[in-house]
């Protein structure tokens, strides 16, 4: 069995997974993140990127070899 984490993947795959994760986070928590960003004077896009990276560790990666 092969175990991989996010950093073992090529750049193209990493970018695709980050984009997918960003969409997932925005759909699930977009309004809450916007409110938090406004309240704490944080750039929403940076906050969204950070949450998307954290969200990647919740994914189970399955590869066809």
């Amino acid at each position: 069995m092969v175990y991989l984490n996010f950093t073992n993947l090529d750049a193209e795959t990493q970018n695709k997974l980050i984009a997918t994760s960003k969409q997932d986070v925005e759909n699930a928590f977009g309004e809450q993140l916007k409110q938090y960003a406004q309240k704490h004077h944080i750039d929403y896009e940076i906050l969204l990127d950070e949450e998307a990276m954290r969200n990647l560790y919740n994914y189970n990666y399955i590869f066809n070899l």
Side-chain angles (χ1 to χ4, degrees):
M1 188 171 282
V2 177
Y3 294 96
L4 296 173
N5 64 27
F6 180 74
T7 56
N8 295 120
L9 305 175
D10 64 3
E12 181 181 347
T13 305
Q14 285 182 0
N15 290 336
K16 183 178 178 186
L17 288 171
I18 289 171
T20 301
S21 179
K22 197 172 184 179
Q23 279 184 321
D24 291 346
V25 169
E26 193 164 25
N27 289 338
F29 307 109
E31 288 303 314
Q32 293 172 337
L33 289 176
K34 285 177 186 176
Q35 291 172 2
Y36 182 86
Q38 284 181 334
K39 182 178 179 182
H40 297 284
H41 308 289
I42 300 171
D43 182 20
Y44 174 71
E45 287 299 319
I46 292 172
L47 182 62
L48 184 60
D49 288 340
E50 290 173 358
E51 290 300 321
M53 287 300 289
R54 279 192 203 117
N55 188 49
L56 285 173
Y57 293 102
N58 294 327
Y59 287 168
N60 292 318
Y61 301 104
I62 300 171
F63 298 96
N64 295 323
L65 301 176

